Each structure stands twice: as structure tokens, then as C-alpha cells.
Amino acid sequence: MKLATLSLSVFLLAATATAGAQQRQFVPINTIADRDSPRLVRFSGTSGIAIDAADNIYLAREKGQQAVQEITTAGEFKTLLKRPGAASFRGMQIAASQDGTIYLSVKSSSSIEMYDPKNGWARIAGHPGKSRQIDGPVETARLKKPGALTVGKDGTVYFADSQLIRSVKHGMVNTIAGKEGVDVLGLNGQKVPPDEERQALFITPISIAVTDDDKLFVIDNGLDLRESPQENFYQQFIELSLNGTFKTVVWPQFVVWWKTYDTGLDSEIATAFIDTDEDKKMQPDLGPPDEYSNPGRAANVTFKTISRNAAGHFVALGRSSETYLIRAVPAKEPVQQTSPPNWLELKWNLHDAHCALGSKDMIYCVNKDRLYRITPDGTLSALAMP
């Protein structure tokens, strides 16, 4: 693949270590006072997070000069990409391959950038100032608004581009699914047809992950305006094949951090009701989906992030309110029963969170400028200065 090396020297590796050879320090968070501790490291303007197989953490940041920052397992803070101007490198999302190669989608330049420690940064697709959607060789292909992205085990980069799901492989840009400009919900009040009777169409794909057999999990969000003036949230959670066929994801195990249950559903659509009243016992609602067959959405659960780690495990994160963080995993993967953690009072807001799955199924999230780590049993801690 012919790579367009970024011309400005400031884009090359500018690594600065601020911590010595030691382990990252995460301190327990049990109260709001813990969350507001001055010891905690702040990361303002984070737009994405990625983790490689060695558990190094990479952050894409919209504010300040540090556009891409690495936090190594040894506790070092490194700036991998400096922002040369206020308008550059905006609208970024980030992904990491298992070997530590970093990929960055950039809306402001309509491009996909790649970083490896030996060669620095290079542009692998897209051309700044030429925002269109054209497939073909990377020299002539065009991207519009690249967003959520993931990397396959063979190095293929899969990414959302406005209403399309596309890929970059062996110097070629191809469209896998979607159609630009289509009104996905413009069905005149009719029911959504079954998956096998319709093509995969998207409104705003916000998260994407790839399996070892090259299937894609895609979370697609939008507003259903068909019942105007009331706006209903619409979400697709689908498994997409590279030939464009798809099916609705059924992950019957939903985990609230202090309560685990199995909906036991084998139907096409998994529905679950999360009661946000702590005084009531949570029970799954096994009722039918709504009349529009809103695919892939659990009732009262809105998913935002789908992530996988080097072990091939997946987690989908969503919320049932501004407070409650929901974790969903494939039925074949183990789920650990959790006890009530004290950090529910922190009013976790997933709208502001960016999360990724690390080794040992630990989840790392940047939320309200702090970097949190959540263990499978619900223990919460935050990155602190040594």
C-alpha cells in the first residue's frame, strides 16, 4: 500500500515521558470526594480511546496540543501526535491493532491516519479538502465524514463514513454496506421489514467492532421522527457480513453492575427492562417489541459502545438512565454476578464516556475528564498521578 507520509515534521512522533518506569496507578473510587481528588489525572476533550494487546492506552483528544496521547502500562505519558493549529485534527476516533499500530479517523481532514513506532504517522486513505465518497485505490478514493473504526486481524481497517460502512485493505477503499442520503426511517409508519428482506442501512453508525472471522458488530443510532412532534430514539445493533448481509444481534445476557439476569430469549429481538428505582426488584420484560420492531435495542437500554480485546471477548456498553451503566456480553461468554458498588451515586453519564475493553475483561472509560477502570465485578478506580 502506498502511504502518504504526513509532510509536517510536527506530526511525527513527539514522545514525552512524565512518569518513570513504574506501573500505572489506579486508586479506588467509592464516593464523589474520591472522584474529585486532585491526584486524579485529567484528560479534557477526549473523543476516543483504544487499547492494544499489551494494555497500553491511547486517547484521541480534541482540546490542546496533544491530539493523540499514549499511557503505557509502565505509567509513561507519551504524546504521539501534536496539533499544529486550532482547527486541525478535529472529530477524531481511534483504534489499535493487536501489534500496537494506531489508526485515527479524522472528520476535519476526511482521512484515515496510521501510526507505528518505527515510521511515525502516515495517511492511508482520504484527501483533506476533498470530502466525497468514492471507492477505489487510495490515491483516488475519497472519504466524507470518517468516524467509528476498528481493525481486523489482517490489518484491514473498517470504518463508518457518514451513512456507510467502508474498509481500507491492500491500498483499496471499498463500501461494504449502507447508502448515503437514504431516509432509513421514511417508511410511512410501516413496520420495519425482517432483516432478510432489507439491506443494511444506517443513520449514524457510532461504534464498530470486528470478529476473528471478519464479521462486524455495528451500533447505529438516530431519531425516529415518524411520530412527530414526539421524537423517539431509534437504534440498530447488528452483525454485518462483508458481503452486506446482516442480522440483528441477540445478546441475551444484560448486566447491570449490581444485578445480573438472563432474559432467556431466543427470538430475533432481545428486550429487557431495567427499572431505575432502586427500591424495586429488577425484572426482565419479555413483552413483544414495539410496532416498528426497533431492531437490536433492549427496552430502556441505549447502547453506545461495542469493544473487543485481544482475547476476542466483546462487551457492549449502554445506559438505562443518566445514572446506570449497562454491560451486555454474548451469551457464550461468562458473566460474573456483581454486588452493589458504591459508585452509582457518581451519576455516570455514558453520553460523555468513551470506553474500550482491555485485558482480563477490564473496561477503561474516559468520563468527565477522568480515566476510569472497571473490573468485571464492578470495582471502580481512576488513574492517579504517582
Side-chain angles (χ1 to χ4, degrees):
M1 181 188 302
K2 182 178 180 181
L3 304 180
T5 303
L6 300 181
S7 58
L8 297 179
S9 59
V10 71
F11 292 166
L12 298 179
L13 175 63
T16 56
T18 62
Q22 54 191 340
Q23 295 296 312
R24 290 185 301 231
Q25 293 191 20
F26 285 86
V27 297
I29 302 295
N30 295 311
T31 67
I32 292 178
D34 293 338
R35 183 197 65 187
D36 294 334
S37 169
R39 284 193 59 198
L40 301 187
V41 184
R42 301 296 181 95
F43 300 95
S44 61
T46 300
S47 60
I49 181 172
I51 302 175
D52 63 20
D55 251 14
N56 298 304
I57 300 171
Y58 304 88
L59 302 178
R61 302 181 62 185
E62 300 288 321
K63 295 182 180 179
Q65 289 189 335
Q66 298 173 321
V68 178
Q69 191 170 16
E70 177 185 5
I71 308 164
T72 70
T73 55
E76 295 178 331
F77 292 67
K78 299 180 179 180
T79 298
L80 302 186
L81 179 63
K82 285 187 175 181
R83 179 174 286 110
S88 61
F89 291 99
R90 299 298 181 185
M92 300 182 298
Q93 295 200 41
I94 194 167
S97 66
Q98 294 188 12
D99 65 1
T101 302
I102 305 305
Y103 297 87
L104 194 70
S105 66
V106 187
K107 281 188 172 67
S108 62
S109 60
S110 301
S111 65
I112 304 290
E113 317 288 346
M114 181 186 77
Y115 169 84
D116 73 77
K118 293 182 179 180
N119 301 307
W121 287 94
R123 182 168 296 124
I124 64 171
H127 299 267
K130 298 180 180 180
S131 177
R132 299 180 64 186
Q133 290 171 320
I134 301 175
D135 288 347
V138 293
E139 292 82 4
T140 58
R142 299 289 185 268
L143 315 183
K144 186 178 182 180
K145 295 179 179 180
L149 73 166
T150 189
V151 188
K153 62 181 180 180
D154 63 350
T156 301
V157 180
Y158 302 96
F159 65 99
D161 188 5
S162 189
Q163 291 182 267
L164 307 182
I165 301 297
R166 310 178 75 188
S167 67
V168 183
K169 181 179 182 179
H170 300 324
M172 296 290 293
V173 177
N174 293 296
T175 296
I176 298 171
K179 185 177 182 181
E180 187 67 14
V182 67
D183 181 5
V184 176
L185 299 173
L187 301 175
N188 298 321
Q190 300 177 14
K191 293 183 179 180
V192 176
D195 293 349
E196 62 271 15
E197 297 179 13
R198 61 191 177 103
Q199 57 181 316
L201 300 174
F202 306 97
I203 302 174
T204 308
I206 60 170
S207 190
I208 183 172
V210 61
T211 67
D212 285 339
D213 56 353
D214 294 329
K215 288 185 173 61
L216 301 174
F217 289 125
V218 182
I219 297 176
D220 175 42
N221 286 351
L223 286 176
D224 185 347
L225 305 178
R226 292 173 296 179
E227 297 183 7
S228 181
Q230 181 181 3
E231 295 182 354
N232 294 321
F233 197 82
Y234 175 90
Q235 179 174 89
Q236 295 187 95
F237 191 178
I238 68 171
E239 180 183 305
L240 179 67
S241 298
L242 299 188
N243 62 5
T245 61
F246 74 102
K247 64 180 181 180
T248 298
V249 168
V250 179
W251 283 4
Q253 295 188 90
F254 290 86
V255 181
V256 187
W257 287 110
W258 71 98
K259 177 69 176 179
T260 301
Y261 59 81
D262 190 337
T263 63
L265 291 179
D266 295 323
S267 61
E268 182 179 58
I269 298 173
T271 64
F273 178 73
I274 308 300
D275 191 335
T276 57
D277 186 343
E278 294 185 44
D279 295 330
K280 297 179 181 179
K281 182 179 179 180
M282 295 186 184
Q283 295 287 348
D285 178 3
L286 304 185
D290 63 31
E291 62 176 308
Y292 297 114
S293 297
N294 196 345
R297 182 182 179 190
N300 288 356
V301 177
T302 300
F303 288 108
K304 179 181 178 181
T305 299
I306 172 70
S307 180
R308 67 161 286 173
N309 60 14
H313 294 177
F314 287 86
V315 66
L317 297 176
R319 66 181 182 88
S320 60
S321 71
E322 293 300 305
T323 302
Y324 299 96
L325 181 64
I326 308 302
R327 177 168 59 99
V329 300
K332 64 182 180 180
E333 294 184 11
V335 174
Q336 183 171 348
Q337 178 72 34
T338 62
S339 58
N342 296 324
W343 56 270
L344 291 175
E345 65 182 276
L346 299 181
K347 296 187 180 299
W348 189 285
N349 186 347
L350 197 64
H351 279 313
D352 298 330
H354 301 277
C355 305
L357 186 64
S359 66
K360 299 180 181 179
D361 291 340
M362 292 189 182
I363 298 170
Y364 296 84
C365 292
V366 178
N367 187 54
K368 298 186 182 299
D369 297 345
R370 298 162 185 85
L371 176 59
Y372 292 105
R373 183 181 66 188
I374 311 171
T375 62
D377 66 358
T379 301
L380 182 73
S381 58
L383 183 67
M385 294 299 293

